[in-house]
Amino acid sequence: MSGRIVISPEVAAARRAGGPIVALESTIISHGLPRPENLRVAREVEEAIRAEGATPATIAVVNGQVRIGLDSESLAHIANEDDVAKVSIRDIAIVVARGGHAATTVAATCHLAHRAGIGVFATGGLGGVHREARDTWDESADLQALSHTPMIVVCSGVKSILDVPATLERLETLNVGVVGFGTHRFPGFYLTDSGMPVEARVDSAADVAAIAAARCALDIPSALVVANPLPESRQIPPEIHDRILAEGLAEMERKGIRGKAVTPALIDYVHRASGGRSLEANTEIILGNATLAARIACAIA
Ligand code: PSU
Ligand code: MN
């Protein structure tokens, strides 16, 4: 590919062999988890994918180059440095042209992974419709990207910092497929059940692979979201969750935080207010989703 996109030797070898590959986003590393746990979790997630016999492809922009698969030094840079921008699809080219560094959101990662021939992607939570969207029009570009990128996206729903029912409506409007893994309930990230139903349930990686094959044969242009909940015993107790969430939303209002700063600021608030509990849940979510995505990638390959 052009010098603007560089595929790591590990990912290139997997591509040549037609082996299973799982794309990973990097905004969760740079803006979604606190230091120093972010780097540790990023490495554990890659290992979890290798342990299933698949190849991880963490995606980011380093020195103006899109990297599909990061070496150890680049991963550490994304995790530790303040000069890493958060980029969605519209922002990628600006950072590339200027030779900068950036972490990719779900939208940007889907776009770049698809371009690199990767069909499975694992993350924690998707962006979605914000609660005050009626006034602010704040809806993540992730949703648009999912509507026109054929990708299997394994996640634990969306955080309840968002308007979950509105997000599900938008996913329907945008033709994005949603299936619950082992459940008919849409997960609420820290909560096993967001309170909203999912029509289609799948129970195995092979189930997902069969749907992926049918989508491919039918040229369905959008993504399939595989919503994978935390087990109930591992969720944040709903009373604690609801209190922290209300406080976090009030703080954003007070500080007047807007635009793409909203998601990282809210996530950071929840991490601080929950005394490490949300970090533990977040780590478990990402590891679980990476493992499931690797199994799906293996079933497809
Ligand atoms: N939700 C999370 N953790 C995250 C994000 C979302 O639970 O780290 C990140 C993802 O990279 C997602 C992005 O694509 O935030 C969405 O940001 P925005 O709402 O500005 O589109
Ligand atoms: Mn936004």
Side-chain angles (χ1 to χ4, degrees), residues 57 133 183 188 277:
T183 181
R277 210 161 182 161

Side-chain angles (χ1 to χ4, degrees), residues 112-168:
L112 296 169
H114 175 59
R115 200 181 175 290
I118 301 171
V120 181
F121 168 32
T123 187
L126 304 176
V129 180
H130 283 264
R131 285 171 177 244
E132 59 307 343
R134 264 177 205 79
D135 301 317
T136 63
W137 293 73
D138 189 353
E139 172 183 317
S140 177
D142 290 354
L143 300 185
Q144 271 285 339
L146 294 173
S147 77
H148 58 72
T149 314
M151 182 70 59
I152 306 297
V153 181
V154 181
C155 66
S156 298
V158 301
K159 286 204 169 107
S160 38
I161 56 177
L162 301 174
D163 184 334
V164 179
T167 301
L168 284 168

Side-chain angles (χ1 to χ4, degrees), residues 19-39:
I21 304 174
V22 176
L24 297 163
E25 60 148 315
S26 43
T27 295
I28 195 171
I29 306 170
S30 63
H31 292 71
L33 293 167
R35 298 171 191 157
E37 289 85 358
N38 57 349
L39 182 56

